[in-house]
Each structure stands twice: as structure tokens, then as C-alpha cells.
Amino acid sequence: MSSTSTDATAPTNAVLLGHGDFGAKSSDVRARMADRVAADVAAALREADVDAEVEQLWSRTVVRTGRPTAAAQAAATLPGVGFARPAVATEARLDAIGDAARSLAAAASHGSDETYAVDSDRVGADGDHPFSNRDLQREAGRVVGETTGAAVDLDDPDRTYRIEVREAEAFVSVRRFRGPGGLPVGSQGRVAVLVSGGIDSPVAMWRLLRRGCATVPVYVDLGDYGGADHRARALAAVATLASRAPRADLRPRVVDGGPLVERVVDATRDTRMLSLRRAMLAAADGAADRADAHSLATGEAIGQKSSQTGANLAATDAAASRPVHRPLLASDKADIVAEARRLGTYDGSTVPVGCERIAPSHPETNATPAAVVDAEPESLLEAAREAGRDAEIVPL
């Protein structure tokens, strides 16, 4: 990379990763989760064809690589990663740290009109280093100023040079890729998630991944009501998210729901959408039996549709034998859409969904479980659970 690049990574030889939302847990739990993060990062880098060595320190993961920018970008997509910083790894000596800051300032094409600040931290016992944080900031600040001619701004700098000093090694960086934080995938067990070709369910699935759940995507094929390319769009959204969980088994379970839909349409009217949702939850329940998932999840948000009023959600939940999580329950649609765009699942999710053709003219918005059960076909849920257990596992 040329020294005129805006990448600012030419001298870098490593990536320093900060962990997500498990810093306050016990030391044993932290260690296990940090090991999961390191393994996930190594898997993601292999998939991205980035040659690297991943080393787990106590509170950081370090990636040694000749492609630090590519490594940082890949790592910053993974749950459990709080940030990724392409860095110069150097000896824990004041002169070596100053040289690293100088090389970063020169490579960054840091103009004199851009302000800067230096932030630093030392890790180790008293006496491990013959310099203080103030010494670090003064020396690094001096060489950056000499190299760039820029002014210091401690309140709102254009660039911040970050220095972390461990016992025998220091890391100097000027770029930071923000990660999703959260917990590493798989640390919170498995959840069967109903996914569709719509906008909401991939976002719900992502939020569960981010909180450490290994998701089991369940797609209920609606048969003739599925709409053109509906299945393909849903599976494409799952594949997009699977890149963020490189060690998890995110193969979709595809349920043959056509016969279930036909029975619901023939037997029900105003409660039709509720019986359909109940059948879908029962199918997910059956898939969860096979996948050893402890709970279910959907992309529903309270009040977003007629089937998602508070009363109706209570009526549909009664069909499940497991807890039903709704990560989007209190989210506005605009926020869900924005998140889908960031994840890269939005464009493929705008295809019309088939269930719009199933909806009755006057859907029930305040149902009771008893009324819904009375209207729906006999043994619907049992048939749906069996269809879920027989779901096709589709490779990504």
C-alpha cells in the first residue's frame, strides 16, 4: 500500500480486538467466551482467505497478519467482538512506540489541518515499564506533531492515536472498526427462529446471534401461497447472516407448509392469520425437537400487524411448548429497516410475501386462545409439529 493511501494501515502488522459484553462476568466465563471469540475470528479469516495467526491474550485477541485491514473488517462483523484496530505491534519501549506512531502518522497522509489526540493504556505490574502514561502521550504526541504539523485537540480530534502497552509488547493504532459487541455465538445455546422472505425475521435472527444464540432458521414453505422466489429470498438472507457466525450450523430447516395452509384457508375466516401463525410456531417447535433448541423466536413487533396485537400474540404463543422470544417486540419499523440495510438483508427482503393473499378481509385483532382453537382444523398443530420434525435441512 502506498504512503498516500487514506487507509492508514501501511505500517501495521497486527489487529487488536476488544471483546464484547462479557467483561463483567466471572474469570472462568470470560476465558471461555474469549476463546470462542478467538476461534470464531480464526474461522472467519480462513473463509475470507486471510492468512493470519490468532492469539488470545487475557482481555484482548491479537491477530498477526500481513493483511490487517482485511482481517479487521472480517473480525468486526462477528458477535463478541467490540472493536478491531489495525495496529503496529512493537516492543514495549518508549522509542519503539514513538517510531510506530511516526510511521502511522506518515502513512495516514495526516494533513496539518487535521487535529489529533493520543490515548494510552498500560497493562502490567508496577515497575514493568520505565515510563508512565503521560510519558507515552507526550512522546507519541510530539512525533505525530513533528511528522504532520497538525494541532492537538483533546476534546474533539479528527484522529486519535491509540496506544496499548502490555508486559513486553505495545500496539499503536489510528483506525478503529466498530464490532457488534454482544456475546460469541453458541455461548447461549440454540434457538429455532422462524424466518421468511420479509424484512423483520433476519434482523431478529441477527439480534439473537449477537446475544450468543446459535440460531436454527426454520422456513415454512407456503406452497402456492409462497410467492415468486419467496423461499430463495429467505434462504439468501440466512446465508448473508451465516457469514457472521462461521462456526455455527445455520443450515435452514425447510418445512412443507403447503398442506397446512390449505387446511387453514378452508376452515377459518377472521382468525385465519392467527391459526397460520400457530401452525408455523408448532412447526418451529417440531424443528426445535430435532435440533435440540431450548426456545423459539419470531420477527414480530407488537402492534405492527393485525396478527401482532398483544392479545393475538398471546393466542399464538399458546401453540408452542417452548418459550417464544421476539427480539423486535418493541422496535419501530423504521429502525428495523435501517438495521436490515446495515446487515445487507434488506434488498432481498422486499419481495411481496405470500401470506398477504391468505389474510381475510376483516382479521381478528383481539382474539382469545379458545376462540382461535375452536375455529381451526382439528389436529392442525400436531400435523404442523410433525412437518417441522420432518423438515428438510438445506445446505447454505
Side-chain angles (χ1 to χ4, degrees):
M1 184 174 296
S2 70
S3 61
T4 59
S5 169
T6 58
D7 197 330
T9 60
T12 56
N13 55 9
V15 180
L16 194 67
L17 303 179
H19 297 151
D21 188 28
F22 53 92
K25 296 185 179 295
S26 71
S27 58
D28 288 345
V29 172
R30 284 203 310 274
R32 288 197 299 270
M33 290 194 175
D35 286 343
R36 279 184 177 271
V37 168
D40 286 346
V41 169
L45 295 182
R46 285 193 297 270
E47 289 192 5
D49 199 25
V50 175
D51 188 22
E53 293 183 5
V54 180
E55 177 186 353
Q56 182 57 54
L57 303 179
W58 177 240
S59 60
R60 293 283 185 265
T61 300
V62 178
V63 181
R64 317 280 182 178
T65 178
R67 298 177 58 197
T69 299
Q73 290 172 328
T77 67
L78 304 178
V81 174
F83 64 80
R85 288 184 173 274
V88 178
T90 189
E91 295 178 82
R93 301 193 330 263
L94 196 58
D95 60 338
I97 293 167
D99 288 344
R102 180 182 290 107
S103 65
L104 280 174
S109 298
H110 190 156
S112 59
D113 59 334
E114 293 182 294
T115 59
Y116 71 97
V118 177
D119 181 36
S120 65
D121 237 347
R122 294 181 309 150
V123 176
D126 291 342
D128 278 355
H129 308 109
F131 50 80
S132 65
N133 267 326
R134 184 173 179 82
D135 294 331
L136 283 172
Q137 293 162 9
R138 182 186 297 114
E139 177 63 11
R142 181 185 67 78
V143 298
V144 170
E146 287 180 354
T147 304
T148 65
V152 173
D153 183 347
L154 300 181
D155 296 322
D156 187 24
D158 294 313
R159 302 193 186 206
T160 298
Y161 290 79
R162 171 70 181 168
I163 303 169
E164 289 200 21
V165 183
R166 318 299 295 189
E167 289 82 351
E169 191 174 25
F171 300 89
V172 186
S173 59
V174 73
R175 297 188 73 198
R176 181 181 188 272
F177 293 91
R178 182 178 179 182
L183 306 175
V185 175
S187 61
Q188 303 303 309
R190 310 193 81 190
V191 179
V193 184
L194 279 168
V195 297
S196 69
I199 295 169
D200 302 334
S201 57
V203 177
M205 178 174 160
W206 163 245
R207 291 191 182 182
L208 287 165
L209 287 169
R210 183 182 169 276
R211 293 308 303 173
C213 297
T215 56
V216 180
V218 180
Y219 173 74
V220 179
D221 191 324
L222 302 180
D224 292 340
Y225 290 91
D229 297 326
H230 193 239
R231 168 173 166 160
R233 300 292 181 99
L235 301 190
V238 172
T240 296
L241 295 177
S243 65
R244 296 169 176 262
R247 295 194 303 135
D249 179 6
L250 266 62
R251 292 175 299 168
R253 274 59 172 173
V254 177
V255 178
D256 180 10
L260 300 173
V261 177
E262 295 293 345
R263 292 183 64 191
V264 169
V265 169
D266 289 345
T268 60
R269 293 188 179 180
D270 57 344
T271 59
R272 182 178 299 161
M273 296 309 295
L274 302 184
S275 287
L276 180 60
R277 293 300 297 174
R278 282 163 54 84
M280 288 181 171
L281 282 172
D285 226 357
D289 289 342
R290 293 281 301 275
D292 194 26
H294 54 63
S295 52
L296 312 179
T298 78
E300 294 165 308
I302 194 163
Q304 187 181 118
K305 296 179 180 179
S306 61
S307 62
Q308 297 174 20
T309 64
N312 284 355
L313 292 179
T316 55
D317 276 7
S321 67
R322 290 169 169 82
V324 181
H325 304 309
R326 293 183 172 86
L328 309 184
L329 184 70
S331 298
D332 289 348
K333 188 70 173 185
D335 295 331
I336 299 170
V337 168
E339 193 164 354
R341 291 186 186 277
R342 289 193 297 271
L343 292 170
T345 60
Y346 174 78
D347 289 342
S349 297
T350 55
V351 62
V353 292
C355 60
E356 292 173 350
R357 297 190 293 118
I358 304 174
S361 300
H362 302 287
E364 176 62 65
T365 60
N366 192 33
T368 63
V372 177
V373 172
D374 286 345
E376 67 191 18
E378 186 177 354
S379 302
L380 174 68
L381 301 188
E382 289 79 0
R385 283 193 181 86
E386 191 60 32
R389 295 187 188 101
D390 293 338
E392 176 189 6
I393 301 177
V394 178
L396 290 171

